[in-house]
Amino acid sequence: MSVQDPPPSRTARVAPPGGRAEARRAAQRGGRRRGAEGAGHGGHGGGGARRGAGAGGHDGRGRGGGPGKKRLIDYPRYDKYGWRRWLPSWKLVTGLFVFFVGSGVGAAAFAYATVVVPKPEEAATAQNNVYYWSDGSQMAATGGEVNRQIIGIDSIPKDMQNAVISAEDKTFYENSGVDPMGIARAFWNMAKGGNTQGGSTVTQQYVKNNRLNDQSQTLERKFKELFISIKVNNEMDKPQIMAGYLNTAYYGRGAYGIQAAARTYYGKDAKELTTSECAFLTSLLKGSTLYDPHGATELNPIATGPENRKRATKRWNWILDEMVADGHLDAAKRAKIKDFPMPDPPKKKAELSGQIGYLVDLAKANFVNTNEQGYTAKDLADGGFEIHTTFEKEKVKAMEESVKAVYDKHIKPEERPKTDTHVQFGGATVEAETGAIVAIYGGTDATKHFTNNSDTTGAQVGSTFKPFVLAAAMRDGVRDPNLGVQQGPESRTRIDPDTAIYNGKNKLKIRNYDGSIWHDENGGEWHQVNDDDQSYDDINLREAMIHSANSPFVQLGMDVGIPQVRKAAIDAGLLESSLSPGNVPSFSIGISEPSAIRMASAYGTFAANGVQRDPYSVEKVLKQGKEIFKHEDKSKPVFTSAIASNITDVLVDVMEKGTGTNAKVPGHPMGGKTGTTDFNKSAWFVGYTPKYATAIDMYRFDDDASNKNREFLSMFGTGGEPKVHGSGFPSTVWNSYMSKILKGQSAEKFPAPEDLDAEPVYGGGAKTPKPSPTEEAPEPSDTPDTSPSPSISEESKQPPRPSKEPKPGKSSCSLLDWDCDPDATGGTTGGTDTGGTTGGTDTGGTTTGGTTDGGTTDGSTTGTGGTTTDGGTTTDGTTTDGTTTNGNGNGNGNGGGWFG
């Protein structure tokens, strides 16, 4: 049995051999070991005095020990235990606070001492932007000089200064040059991974404008700008800062500074600007691309002329009102400012003449709208970029020559000023397998005609839209008339262009998919006319496309559903913003306004066997020799190869024996479609080979921007022709151009049309085949048929039942009888036509009992096979007795954009 050692104490301590000195050394050694091993390593100090105070984690008083020696920074704390050992003392906290504050102040003092106050005259030394053709040869070099002239504050109107203060920095004269809230917002955005830009003072904007060599959105840059802004505010007076800002700000169109802006937009010196003009130029500081009233769709899809004018006018009014509220403008003077100060249209430099200016604009737009690094139009204006495009020099030249040849031969504005003035052509070619834009025709000269006609113009596309209707019917199918509006694939019947039969009658009464008569918002009916009032008997959709009959496709669109037709067009490559928003019957025959580029691209989807690619014009961009952008191929299948190959097969027939024969290039398989619109205001031909898709359009539009009421003009009589069809001048240009670019190339074949999973369809009141002798016909009944008019064959196999005897002088119609007019007397038409014809009176003769007199053809007459009119419509949409006869209706798209 062992005897436990007594606990150590001051009175019972046993000294080890060697005396007290040795005991102290042993205790120190134990303390060092204790500190190294960490608190709590040992248990009780059971070793007596020999183990030392540190060996068991206790000193002579029985408490855990801290470090053997107190340090300069007492952390963990020397004389504390447990969690208190890790709690910093107030001395440590105070010391650290003083240290960091002192360091921050020192760093700020150093930064403040080292930053330099900017000088306006040293800012923005721009370099050239060099543009290259697809073969690597130089196309154009732009820039090289900054459009800027520094002027003093005395030459800047006071109204301009006040407009900027009211719109950009109301506390300009009171603040210290920085906006703490704006800075906090920038840091917060940076922490979230977003853009660091936030609200800034005029001083901060001035500093930013002068740091063109560093436009990165980083915390380092924000810190530098902060100290520069403070130093600027301390060393410059407010008028100097205002002058510096207005002399370095970017106003768009390559204009830096207020003097350059005044000359660019109004052709005058800055000191001559009016209050109204100052307010407009101030609005440009918010973003010139979206506020230039002449539009800048080459830089932003939504920057169309009309939309920009709305934005600019709204902000212009707001700035004037703010100037009144801030006491900078007298209310009485403001009340007299009513007319928006429309600036001059943009002008191109001489080196951008011909087609070059249009090509440069498209390349700029492509890069600005697709690069992921955030480069803007302003960055491009600063220069230093090498931009390699997809444009092929020889094809651009060929398209320009083909347009010019037709224009010079047929368009005579001096001889026929009423019909041949303001005639415009536009065109584009897209490589089907890549989406690359290889050629465009933007207008006569980019330095004289400022709208790029290959991009969005507002010209409606007419019957060239019909292939999208057919594609929707093949993909989605027509709806079951006995079910609701929203129907899934299982209740729809997909069509084949050869077995889908539709009524081709002129002035066909259009119905909803369930057989009920369609009415507009005023209760009027829709009687669809064909071009030149041509009527066709029941006709399959292939023949309807060949002859460009309108009635079958308008009714087909109603049976499929306009939303499905719209989606098919978007899937093919058209921008939704360019499509008419209304679900009206005429949507299916082209009341929308896509650009020539987008139409070529969308037809290219069919050429690529149903695979869609967005059009593009820039392959790569370099800056200082480093590649900063490269186009990435992004494709998506939107139609099956069966649908695409059958669309192509139908369009090949259009060019072989229909309205497109004038465009056909012998020896090369090609498909295409003509288009003519209401009032003959535009005409198109869009077609493709297996490799290239090309769109050519023609229209009349007043190019004078000062004319506030300018609009599309009709082309009746233009070029000496009674009416301009898509099969006319546009087809001639298309043929000439494609002949040039295909010369010497071997013919490529389209894929053979594949079988479609489709069933026969009889729509628009087309008569179904009579039952065979082996089928038992239903018994006739005297009960009138009130069932909906079917659009699909399964609902159309039963012949209509005879109706009751009509009352004297009044006819009675079954819903299945689409051609019946219940308001007609004795079933006779003639004399006054309540269908809303172009003149209101039909003098073609009276049709009775199916006979034709005076050349008027009834719905049972079959059109001749050689018809080459393209299906455009000319009626004026007049509504008479609640019935509308119109080819294209009045729905207008919002056109717009990056290759709209």
Side-chain angles (χ1 to χ4, degrees):
M1 180 175 177
S2 63
V3 179
Q4 184 177 4
D5 292 336
S9 68
R10 293 182 183 273
T11 59
R13 182 174 298 173
V14 178
R20 292 183 177 180
E22 182 63 27
R24 284 196 298 271
R25 285 193 292 272
Q28 289 172 357
R29 286 195 295 272
R32 285 192 292 270
R33 286 195 300 272
R34 174 70 178 87
E37 294 169 3
H41 174 72
H44 296 280
R50 291 191 305 270
R51 299 179 65 134
H58 290 267
D59 61 11
R61 296 182 297 273
R63 293 180 296 180
K69 186 178 180 181
K70 193 170 183 178
R71 295 161 294 178
L72 178 63
I73 300 178
D74 186 19
Y75 193 83
R77 298 178 69 179
Y78 168 75
D79 56 349
K80 301 296 180 182
Y81 309 95
W83 62 270
R84 290 183 179 85
R85 192 161 182 260
W86 303 98
L87 184 67
S89 67
W90 68 269
K91 292 180 181 179
L92 180 61
V93 172
T94 303
L96 290 174
F97 175 77
V98 171
F99 173 78
F100 283 114
V101 169
S103 299
V105 171
F110 177 78
Y112 183 87
T114 55
V115 296
V116 180
V117 174
K119 297 180 181 180
E121 61 272 12
E122 296 177 357
T125 54
Q127 306 174 57
N128 279 336
N129 286 327
V130 183
Y131 295 82
Y132 296 92
W133 295 102
S134 62
D135 63 3
S137 61
Q138 182 171 315
M139 181 174 73
T142 66
E145 295 181 0
V146 177
N147 183 15
R148 171 186 288 151
Q149 180 182 349
I150 305 299
I151 59 177
I153 192 66
D154 294 337
S155 297
I156 302 175
K158 193 66 176 178
D159 282 336
M160 186 68 201
Q161 301 175 48
N162 289 333
V164 169
I165 291 171
S166 290
E168 302 289 327
D169 187 2
K170 290 181 181 293
T171 63
F172 172 69
Y173 284 107
E174 292 80 31
N175 63 46
S176 61
V178 296
D179 176 12
M181 293 301 296
I183 294 172
R185 188 162 49 248
F187 278 105
W188 176 247
N189 288 339
M190 188 70 174
K192 295 190 300 181
N195 197 312
T196 63
Q197 290 180 332
S200 300
T201 64
V202 165
T203 306
Q204 288 175 278
Q205 288 295 319
Y206 169 46
V207 171
K208 179 183 175 182
N209 292 342
N210 278 269
R211 290 176 57 77
L212 294 175
N213 292 330
D214 181 12
Q215 290 294 312
S216 60
Q217 297 297 322
T218 62
L219 289 176
E220 180 185 3
R221 179 187 171 214
K222 285 293 179 182
F223 271 120
K224 289 181 179 178
E225 288 184 359
L226 171 64
F227 289 110
I228 296 174
S229 298
I230 295 172
K231 193 166 188 175
V232 166
N233 192 72
N234 290 337
E235 297 187 7
M236 298 174 64
D237 58 31
K238 292 293 185 178
Q240 285 180 300
I241 296 173
M242 177 60 73
Y245 171 63
L246 292 175
N247 277 315
T248 57
Y250 183 64
Y251 294 82
R253 300 191 190 178
Y256 284 89
I258 184 61
Q259 175 69 0
R263 289 187 173 278
T264 298
Y265 287 92
Y266 291 109
K268 61 173 67 173
D269 290 330
K271 62 183 178 181
E272 299 172 354
L273 292 170
T274 66
T275 303
S276 179
E277 292 166 347
C278 287
F280 164 69
L281 292 178
T282 300
S283 72
L284 294 175
L285 298 175
K286 188 174 178 66
S288 57
T289 299
L290 295 177
Y291 289 87
D292 186 336
H294 288 282
T297 53
E298 71 277 7
L299 297 176
N300 192 311
I302 66 173
T304 63
E307 291 302 315
N308 274 17
R309 280 192 288 276
K310 291 179 184 178
R311 280 188 287 266
T313 301
K314 182 178 180 180
R315 186 158 178 82
W316 168 77
N317 274 311
W318 177 81
I319 290 173
L320 291 172
D321 292 340
E322 288 297 299
M323 291 175 69
V324 174
D326 296 337
H328 298 314
L329 179 62
D330 182 70
K333 183 177 179 180
R334 166 67 181 100
K336 295 179 181 180
I337 303 175
K338 298 180 179 179
D339 295 330
F340 179 76
M342 192 70 178
D344 299 335
K347 300 177 178 64
K348 292 285 192 301
K349 295 181 179 180
E351 64 267 22
L352 298 178
S353 62
Q355 300 303 304
I356 300 299
Y358 304 124
L359 298 172
V360 166
D361 283 346
L362 283 181
K364 283 182 181 179
N366 190 182
F367 176 56
V368 168
N369 286 284
T370 59
N371 81 86
E372 297 180 352
Q373 294 85 356
Y375 289 105
T376 65
K378 183 177 181 297
D379 295 324
L380 280 176
D382 296 337
F385 295 88
E386 296 179 29
I387 301 173
H388 294 258
T389 76
T390 60
F391 305 127
E392 298 183 20
K393 186 175 183 178
E394 292 305 316
K395 289 182 174 61
V396 171
K397 180 182 178 182
M399 186 174 289
E400 184 176 28
E401 289 176 346
S402 297
V403 172
K404 190 174 185 300
V406 171
Y407 188 97
D408 291 345
K409 181 177 180 180
H410 299 282
I411 310 302
K412 309 292 183 182
E414 295 182 358
E415 296 178 13
R416 296 184 290 267
K418 292 184 178 180
T419 60
D420 285 22
T421 53
H422 309 303
V423 174
Q424 301 289 340
F425 284 89
T429 296
V430 173
E431 196 172 62
E433 292 184 353
T434 65
I437 305 170
V438 297
I440 64 161
Y441 179 81
T444 53
D445 190 328
T447 63
K448 300 174 183 177
H449 172 73
F450 308 115
T451 300
N452 187 344
N453 294 349
S454 71
D455 208 350
T456 302
T457 63
Q460 295 182 353
V461 296
S463 292
T464 58
F465 197 80
K466 289 174 182 175
F468 307 123
V469 185
L470 186 58
M474 290 180 179
R475 184 176 69 177
D476 300 303
V478 297
R479 289 173 286 185
D480 186 330
N482 296 312
L483 299 179
V485 176
Q486 301 297 332
Q487 297 184 22
E490 68 282 351
S491 62
R492 289 172 171 266
T493 302
R494 295 178 178 85
I495 66 97
D496 182 299
D498 294 316
T499 60
I501 312 298
Y502 269 75
N503 191 335
K505 178 187 176 183
N506 188 48
K507 299 179 187 177
L508 178 70
K509 185 183 296 183
I510 301 303
R511 298 176 181 251
N512 295 308
Y513 80 97
D514 61 1
S516 61
I517 298 174
W518 185 90
H519 294 93
D520 61 22
E521 62 273 14
N522 298 318
E525 298 176 357
W526 191 278
H527 288 187
Q528 182 58 53
V529 300
N530 294 322
D531 190 44
D532 294 333
D533 287 331
Q534 179 71 49
S535 269
Y536 303 90
D537 199 357
D538 295 348
I539 186 173
N540 68 37
L541 293 178
R542 180 185 295 272
E543 290 296 320
M545 188 75 78
I546 290 172
H547 302 300
S548 201
N550 289 332
S551 298
F553 285 98
V554 171
Q555 187 58 54
L556 177 65
M558 299 300 290
D559 292 347
V560 174
I562 299 302
Q564 282 70 29
V565 174
R566 181 181 286 106
K567 187 176 188 305
I570 294 171
D571 288 346
L574 301 187
L575 293 178
E576 185 174 7
S577 59
S578 71
L579 302 180
S580 175
N583 292 334
V584 295
S586 57
F587 181 86
S588 296
I589 50 174
I591 60 175
S592 297
E593 305 164 357
S595 67
I597 291 173
R598 283 286 173 174
M599 285 299 290
S601 174
Y603 272 50
T605 298
F606 299 132
N609 222 24
V611 178
Q612 190 270 335
R613 292 175 174 84
D614 282 339
Y616 74 100
S617 59
V618 176
E619 290 287 0
K620 63 180 180 179
V621 177
L622 284 72
K623 188 171 178 64
Q624 297 178 346
K626 180 182 178 181
E627 184 176 280
I628 60 172
F629 171 84
K630 186 176 181 62
H631 172 75
E632 295 182 5
D633 181 46
K634 296 179 181 179
S635 63
K636 55 183 178 181
V638 294
F639 302 115
T640 64
S641 57
I643 292 174
S645 62
N646 275 274
I647 292 289
T648 294
D649 192 55
V650 170
L651 296 182
V652 166
D653 279 353
V654 171
M655 295 193 70
E656 292 287 349
K657 53 186 178 181
T659 62
T661 54
N662 190 39
K664 181 76 172 68
V665 178
H668 290 272
M670 49 185 56
K673 185 71 188 75
T674 53
T676 307
T677 60
D678 226 10
F679 303 118
N680 200 204
K681 290 187 176 181
S682 60
W684 290 71
F685 188 84
V686 186
Y688 56 93
T689 67
K691 187 172 184 179
Y692 299 115
T694 298
I696 300 292
D697 67 329
M698 176 183 178
Y699 55 91
R700 291 181 66 210
F701 187 76
D702 187 353
D703 207 29
D704 184 5
S706 63
N707 181 4
K708 297 181 180 180
N709 299 317
R710 58 184 181 157
E711 60 182 357
F712 284 91
L713 307 172
S714 69
M715 293 190 292
F716 295 114
T718 298
E721 297 292 328
K723 177 181 179 180
V724 176
H725 291 92
S727 57
F729 299 137
S731 291
T732 301
V733 172
W734 199 93
N735 171 271
S736 172
Y737 164 69
M738 294 298 290
S739 295
K740 289 182 173 70
I741 71 170
L742 294 176
K743 186 177 181 179
Q745 294 189 16
S746 58
E748 298 183 48
K749 295 182 179 180
F750 289 117
E754 301 175 18
D755 291 337
L756 291 164
D757 180 17
E759 299 178 26
V761 170
Y762 296 86
K767 296 177 176 60
T768 59
K770 294 181 180 180
S772 64
T774 60
E775 297 181 15
E776 185 177 350
E779 293 294 329
S781 171
D782 292 334
T783 303
D785 184 5
T786 58
S787 62
S789 174
S791 292
I792 61 175
S793 60
E794 295 303 317
E795 301 295 327
S796 305
K797 293 183 178 179
Q798 301 298 328
R801 302 171 184 174
S803 61
K804 292 183 178 180
E805 186 71 20
K807 296 180 181 179
K810 193 77 173 178
S811 65
S812 177
C813 300
S814 165
L815 284 177
L816 288 174
D817 190 356
W818 286 46
D819 298 337
C820 178
D821 185 354
D823 296 323
T825 303
T828 302
T829 60
T832 301
D833 186 344
T834 61
T837 60
T838 54
T841 303
D842 185 347
T843 58
T846 301
T847 303
T848 306
T851 61
T852 304
D853 182 26
T856 299
T857 308
D858 66 8
S860 62
T861 303
T862 303
T864 57
T867 304
T868 58
T869 54
D870 67 3
T873 57
T874 60
T875 56
D876 62 3
T878 305
T879 300
T880 307
D881 293 345
T883 303
T884 302
T885 301
N886 196 316
N888 283 356
N890 56 7
N892 291 315
N894 293 325
W898 160 236
F899 304 152

